[in-house]
Amino acid sequence: MFRATWKSLLARKVRLVLSGLAVVLGVMFVSGAFVLTDTLGRSFDQVFADAYADVDVNVNATPKVALDELEGEPVSPPVPAALLERVRTVAGVAEATGIIAADGALMIGSNGKVVTSFGPPQLGENWLGESDLLTLREGREPRADDEIVINAALAQAAGVKVGDRVGVQTPFKSKKEDFHLVGIFGFSGGRDSLGGANEIAFTTPVAQRLMLGEPDVFTNISVQAVDGVGEEKLRDDIAAAVGDGYQVRTGEQMSADAAAGLKEGLSFFNKILLGFAAVALLVGTFLILNTFSIIVAQRTRELALMRAIGASGRQIIGSVVLEAIAVGLIASVLGLAAGIGVGALLAYLFGELAGGLALAGLGVPAAAVIGAFGVGLVITVVAALLPALRAARIPPIAAMQDVATPDRPLTKVTVSGGIVTAIGATLLFLGLSGNAGDLTLQTILGGVFFAFIGVALLTPLISRPVVGLLGAVFAWSVPGKLGRLNSGRNPRRTAITAAALMVGIALVTGVTVILDSAKSSISALAEDQINAELVISGVQSGPRPPSFDPAVLEQAAAIPGVQLVDGEYGDMAEVDGKATWVAVSSNVAALERIFSAKATAGDISRLGPDQMLFSSDTAKSRNVSVGSRVTVQLSRGEARTYTVSGIYQSTELTSPVVLPPQAARDFAIPQPIQGFLQLAPGARVEDVRPQVETLLADNPQVSVADRAAFIKQQTSQLDGLLQMIQILLALAIVIAVLGIINTLALSVLERTRELGLLRAIGLRRAQTMRMITVEAVVISVFGALLGVAVGTGLGAAVVEALKDEGISDLVLPWGQMGLFLGLAAIIGVVAAVLPAVRAARINVLGAIAHD
C-alpha cells in the first residue's frame, strides 16, 4: 500500500505542487514572523547591553502617573541635583554622574525640515565626554552654551557637517534655537547610532534648560561601584539612602527592563503577522481540500480496485493522509526556508528605517521550526481528512462503473453551514456588543472565523443559480455556454474555489467599510463640532505630539479679524487614582463657543486655579457632581485636589476632564499641542492664515490650516493603515488565484475525454481556451461577489457596534467594490491561461481513447 501511495503521489506532482504552494506561503508568514522578532529582540538586547555596560547602578524618579502600554509611555519626573550629592556619599560609590537624556530634541536639517524618526527616540543629552562606547569622530566637545555635538546617524540624516549653524527644537522651547555644530560622535564597532536613536548633546546647563525645563535637575543618576563591591549590595544601600519615590536598579536590570518593554511591542507586531498568516492558511485550507477532493474523485475506479483486491477502508484513508503528510512536510521545509529569508529581509529593512540598527546574527528560534512544521502538517492533513473519509467509502463495485461520481445532496452541508454561521453571528454579537468581558478580541476573531466557514459551507446552495446568472453574460457564444455549464456542474467544487477568493476580498472590503466610515464620521464630527476656521497643529511621528510656543496664541489673538483663540494642552493623569486623559484650555470659553459643549450643571464659562470641569459621561461613570473634591496627579509636581465647578455635555471631540491653565506647567509637554482660531464675521481665512504662518516660522513641526485641510490631515493616517492591510491581505488573494488555477487544471485532466470529443465534433482550439476562460471568470467573480457581500456585512456590523465610540456614519465603498469585481474578472482570465493552453493542446484521438 505504501508503494502504491508513493507511485500515485509521484504521478500527480504538478497537481500537488500547486496546493503545496498555499501551505508554503502561509508557513512562510508564520516562520518569518518568529525569525523577525527573534532577530530584532536579540539586536536590541545587544544595544541595551552596550548602553548600560558602564552602569553598575541607576537611580531615577518613579513615574507619578502609572500607565499601561496602550495608554502611553510613563514620564519620570527629574531628579534634583541634591540627590546626586547624597548618592555620592554612599559607601561603595566610586563615581556618580548626573545624566540628562530626554526624548524630543529635533534637528532642523539642511533642507529646512525637521529630521523625523519613526520609532527610535530623538534624545537631547548633556555631553559627558568620550568613553569606551562613545568617541568623537570629527571636531571637539561642546564648551559654550551655543555649541552642540551630534551622532553620526543624525548628521547624515540632517545633511550637516562640523562648522554648520543648525537649528534645534526642544520640548521646553518650542521656537527653534540656533547652535554651532562643533563635533560628530560615533559608537564602538563603527556604529553611527545606538538602536537608531538620534542624539544631540549640549552642555549640561543648556540640556537642563531645554530638555527638562529647570536648572539643577537630571533625568537619572548613573553610578559606578568601587572595585569589589557587588552591584546588588550597592543598589540596596543607595535605595536605603534615597528613600521612597525613586527606582534604583542595577545596570543589568536596566538593560533587561528596557529590552523587555521593547520586546512587548515586538510581540504585538508578531501577533499581527501571525494573524495574516492565519488568513493565508485558511485560504490555503480551501485550496488543499479542493485538490484532494478532485484527486479522490478522479481515482474512484483506482481506489475501488484497491478495495476489490483486499484494501481496507483504513488503508485507503492512510493512503490519502500519507499523501497529505508528504505534501505538508515538503511545503513546511520550503516555507521555513522562505520564512527565514523573509524574516532576514524584514529585519534588515526595519534596521534601515530605524536609522541603521546594527542587527544581531540571524537566528532561527525553535518557535519558527515548530510553528512551520506544526502548522504545515496540521493544515494539510486536516484539509485532506474529509476527502480521505470519502475515499474510504468507495464500494468495490465502483471499479466496474464509470469513473465519474454523482453529485451528492447538499442537505447535510447546508444544515452544517447554517449552524456554523449562527455560531459565528452569536460570537460576533457578543464581542461587538461588549458582552465578552476580557475576551472581546478573541470572541470577535472567533466570530469572524466561524462566519467565514459557515458562509463557505452555505456557498454550494447558491452557487448553481448565481453562477448560472453570471454565466448568462457569456452565453451568446458556444464556448460561453459551455463555460457557464461547466462552472455550475459541480456546486461543491465551485463553492470551495470561490470561497478561497471570498476570504481575502471579504476582509479587505470589511476593513475598507470600517475605515471609510471612521473617516466620514470624524470629518462630520469635526465639521459639526469645531467652530473654528483655522487650526494650528502638526503631524505626530513619534511618541510626543508636536507643540508650539504659548506666545503664538496671544500674538494670534491680536491679528485683525480673529475673534477667539484657544490653545489645547493635553496629558495623561491619575484622576482619583485612575489613568485619564486631561486637557487644559487657554480660553475656557472655547468649550462652548468652539467645541459646542453645553453646560449640564454648574458654570463652565470660567475656571479658578483650584477648580476643574468634567464631561457628563465621565462624571456619571465616576459618580462625580458639582462640588465634588477630586485628587489629580499629573506627570510632574505633587498631587493636587480640585473642586468640580461645572459639568459639560460630552461630545466626541471634548476631553473627559478640563483643568485650569495653571496645571499645564506640570504636564509632560507644558505647551499647547493644538490651537483653534475663530474668525469674526466677514474676516477671510486667506487674509488671516499668512499672518499666523509668520508666527510659526520658527517651528517647522507645526502649521496652520483651514478646517477642511485639518480634517484631511487627521484622517490621512487611516489611509496609510488601509494600504498596509491591503498589501498584507494580497497574499490571501494570490493563494486564491492558485486555487482557481489548480481547480481548472484538475478539471481539465478530469474532462480529458470530454474535451477530446468536443474537439472531434468541431470545437476549435481558440474556442476551447475561451470556454476554460469563461469558467474561470465566472468562478472568480462569484467569489468576489461573495467576498463583497460578506465583507460589507461584517464591516457594517462593526460600524454599528462602534456607534457609541463616535463612528456614526456607515460608508459603503462602491468604487472599491466595483474595483474588486473588475479585479476578479482579470484574476479569472490570468488563472485560466495555463489550464486553457493545456486544454487546447489535447491530442484529440488520445483524449477520446482516454479512460
Side-chain angles (χ1 to χ4, degrees):
M1 199 67 191
F2 176 80
R3 288 195 298 270
T5 300
W6 184 249
K7 289 183 178 180
S8 175
L9 182 64
L10 294 178
R12 292 184 299 278
K13 294 187 291 290
V14 176
R15 310 179 199 180
L16 296 176
V17 162
L18 286 174
S19 59
L21 275 176
V23 182
V24 168
L25 293 173
V27 169
M28 178 186 73
F29 243 135
V30 173
S31 55
F34 284 117
V35 169
L36 171 64
T37 51
D38 176 75
T39 301
L40 292 180
R42 288 185 294 104
S43 300
F44 281 108
D45 280 342
Q46 186 59 52
V47 167
F48 293 124
D50 288 345
Y52 296 105
D54 294 331
V55 178
D56 291 325
V57 176
N58 181 82
V59 181
N60 63 275
T62 302
K64 293 181 177 293
V65 179
L67 303 174
D68 61 32
E69 63 274 8
L70 296 178
E71 293 171 333
E73 187 175 344
V75 177
S76 295
V79 174
L83 190 75
L84 174 61
E85 298 305 321
R86 191 188 313 169
V87 169
R88 285 172 173 166
T89 64
V90 175
V93 172
E95 184 178 356
T97 306
I99 306 292
I100 300 170
D103 196 4
L106 308 175
M107 173 162 284
I108 315 302
S110 57
N111 58 1
K113 297 181 179 180
V114 172
V115 178
T116 57
S117 170
F118 295 93
Q122 311 220 75
L123 298 175
E125 306 168 336
N126 59 329
W127 176 256
L128 298 173
E130 296 181 273
S131 64
D132 293 338
L133 177 65
L134 179 153
T135 56
L136 282 168
R137 294 183 183 174
E138 300 178 43
R140 58 173 177 82
E141 63 182 15
R143 300 184 186 121
D145 287 350
D146 65 342
E147 294 178 346
I148 60 171
V149 295
I150 63 176
N151 66 359
L154 178 56
Q156 183 177 2
V160 295
K161 59 184 183 302
V162 172
D164 287 350
R165 186 82 172 170
V166 297
V168 178
Q169 193 172 331
T170 55
F172 287 85
K173 186 170 174 49
S174 293
K175 287 186 177 181
K176 72 173 184 179
E177 192 163 327
D178 290 333
F179 292 87
H180 287 291
L181 178 59
V182 298
I184 295 174
F185 61 88
F187 299 89
S188 59
R191 292 171 291 179
D192 293 338
S193 72
L194 278 182
N198 292 330
E199 299 177 58
I200 303 174
F202 310 88
T203 60
T204 294
V206 173
Q208 290 170 333
R209 174 173 61 87
L210 296 181
M211 302 307 302
L212 301 179
E214 55 183 307
D216 299 326
V217 290
F218 303 96
T219 54
N220 60 289
I221 299 171
S222 175
V223 180
Q224 289 181 317
V226 173
D227 290 342
V229 176
E231 292 183 2
E232 288 78 7
K233 182 179 185 310
L234 183 58
R235 175 198 61 196
D236 295 341
D237 291 344
I238 293 176
V242 300
D244 296 335
Y246 295 96
Q247 295 176 332
V248 184
R249 291 170 287 178
T250 64
E252 187 175 338
Q253 286 177 312
M254 290 289 294
S255 177
D257 290 347
L262 192 67
K263 287 179 180 178
E264 191 170 348
L266 291 176
S267 174
F268 179 75
F269 181 62
N270 189 43
K271 290 175 183 176
I272 293 176
L273 291 179
L274 291 176
F276 285 105
V279 173
L281 289 167
L282 176 61
V283 176
T285 302
F286 289 117
L287 171 53
I288 299 165
L289 175 62
N290 221 16
T291 301
F292 278 93
S293 296
I294 297 172
I295 289 173
V296 167
Q298 290 175 352
R299 296 174 60 199
T300 299
R301 178 174 292 180
E302 174 191 332
L303 295 172
L305 283 171
M306 287 186 179
R307 292 296 309 278
I309 62 176
S312 66
R314 183 176 296 178
Q315 286 178 310
I316 297 296
I317 293 174
S319 173
V320 177
V321 170
L322 187 60
E323 291 186 22
I325 291 174
V327 172
L329 278 174
I330 295 171
S332 297
V333 171
L334 295 177
L336 176 60
I340 293 171
V342 168
L345 176 61
L346 290 176
Y348 170 77
L349 294 175
F350 185 95
E352 291 300 309
L353 290 174
L357 171 67
L359 295 175
L362 182 66
V364 182
V369 178
I370 295 170
F373 285 95
V375 167
L377 282 173
V378 169
I379 291 295
T380 311
V381 172
V382 168
L385 199 55
L386 284 176
L389 294 172
R390 194 177 307 148
R393 298 193 194 105
I394 296 174
I397 195 67
M400 295 178 286
Q401 298 176 346
D402 198 308
V403 178
T405 56
D407 204 8
R408 291 169 291 122
L410 299 174
T411 305
K412 290 183 179 179
V413 73
T414 300
V415 172
S416 301
I419 294 173
V420 174
T421 303
I423 293 173
T426 302
L427 290 174
L428 282 172
F429 173 77
L430 292 174
L432 296 174
S433 62
N435 293 321
D438 295 335
L439 299 176
T440 297
L441 179 60
Q442 294 89 331
T443 304
I444 292 175
L445 292 177
V448 171
F449 176 77
F450 279 102
F452 279 135
I453 299 299
V455 171
L457 291 172
L458 290 173
T459 301
L461 183 67
I462 62 172
S463 65
R464 187 167 283 166
V466 175
V467 164
L469 186 62
L470 290 173
V473 178
F474 305 97
W476 51 270
S477 67
V478 171
K481 290 179 182 178
L482 291 172
R484 172 192 181 188
L485 293 172
N486 287 335
S487 58
R489 176 186 295 184
N490 192 323
R492 294 172 184 270
R493 185 180 303 175
T494 299
I496 293 174
T497 306
L501 186 60
M502 173 200 73
V503 173
I505 291 183
L507 289 173
V508 173
T509 302
V511 170
T512 304
V513 168
I514 296 168
L515 294 184
D516 281 359
S517 298
K519 286 173 57 179
S520 176
S521 301
I522 292 171
S523 299
L525 286 172
E527 288 286 350
D528 292 342
Q529 297 182 13
I530 297 180
N531 300 315
E533 287 75 16
L534 291 173
V535 181
I536 300 172
S537 66
V539 178
Q540 186 171 346
S541 60
R544 300 174 60 91
S547 60
F548 56 93
D549 192 337
V552 169
L553 300 172
E554 299 177 8
Q555 295 165 347
I559 295 175
V562 175
Q563 179 174 270
L564 179 66
V565 175
D566 173 53
E568 289 290 313
Y569 304 69
D571 196 9
M572 290 297 295
E574 285 187 3
V575 179
D576 270 349
K578 186 175 181 179
T580 308
W581 178 263
V582 299
V584 160
S585 290
S586 65
N587 190 337
V588 181
L591 272 174
E592 186 170 1
R593 294 173 60 183
I594 291 182
F595 297 108
S596 306
K598 305 295 183 181
T600 61
D603 183 7
I604 67 169
S605 63
R606 62 180 63 87
L607 203 56
D610 295 317
Q611 296 177 327
M612 68 187 303
L613 305 176
F614 266 81
S615 69
S616 55
D617 288 348
T618 308
K620 182 179 179 181
S621 65
R622 303 285 182 91
N623 196 26
V624 167
S625 58
V626 172
S628 297
R629 300 277 288 171
V630 177
T631 301
V632 178
Q633 174 63 68
L634 297 173
S635 295
R636 303 173 189 274
E638 300 302 320
R640 185 166 180 175
T641 300
Y642 294 89
T643 301
V644 178
S645 61
I647 297 174
Y648 52 88
Q649 183 180 6
S650 297
T651 68
E652 289 78 3
L653 300 181
T654 52
S655 173
V657 174
V658 175
L659 298 177
Q662 295 86 344
R665 64 174 176 264
D666 287 331
F667 280 16
I669 304 174
Q671 294 165 334
I673 55 180
Q674 286 183 331
F676 297 88
L677 280 68
Q678 190 180 83
L679 304 187
R684 300 196 319 153
V685 169
E686 295 79 8
D687 296 333
V688 177
R689 182 168 52 198
Q691 299 181 66
V692 180
E693 289 173 345
T694 302
L695 300 177
L696 299 170
D698 288 335
N699 189 341
Q701 258 200 307
V702 298
S703 60
V704 60
D706 59 39
R707 184 168 52 189
F710 168 71
I711 294 171
K712 184 177 181 181
Q713 179 190 74
Q714 298 303 304
T715 58
S716 62
Q717 296 180 358
L718 295 179
D719 293 327
L721 176 62
L722 178 59
Q723 290 174 2
M724 182 188 73
I725 292 174
Q726 287 175 336
I727 291 171
L728 290 172
L729 287 176
L731 176 63
I733 296 175
V734 169
I735 296 175
V737 173
L738 291 176
I740 297 172
I741 295 173
N742 207 25
T743 299
L744 291 175
L746 293 170
S747 181
V748 167
L749 288 173
E750 188 179 49
R751 304 198 315 255
T752 299
R753 188 175 185 182
E754 174 189 319
L755 291 169
L757 289 171
L758 288 173
R759 291 292 312 282
I761 62 175
L763 193 69
R764 296 188 300 275
R765 286 187 174 184
Q767 290 177 312
T768 303
M769 294 179 68
R770 287 206 301 274
M771 178 184 70
I772 300 296
T773 301
V774 167
E775 186 176 349
V777 169
V778 168
I779 292 174
S780 59
V781 172
F782 175 47
L785 276 174
L786 280 175
V788 167
V790 173
T792 301
L794 290 174
V798 173
V799 170
E800 179 66 25
L802 293 176
K803 269 192 173 181
D804 293 339
E805 304 299 323
I807 310 300
S808 55
D809 293 351
L810 174 61
V811 177
L812 300 182
W814 297 108
Q816 290 267 25
M817 293 180 189
L819 179 63
F820 293 152
L821 294 177
L823 179 63
I826 296 173
I827 286 173
V829 173
V830 172
V833 171
L834 291 177
V837 169
R838 182 166 187 168
R841 290 178 177 175
I842 285 177
N843 181 284
V844 177
L845 294 178
I848 293 173
H850 181 78
D851 190 1

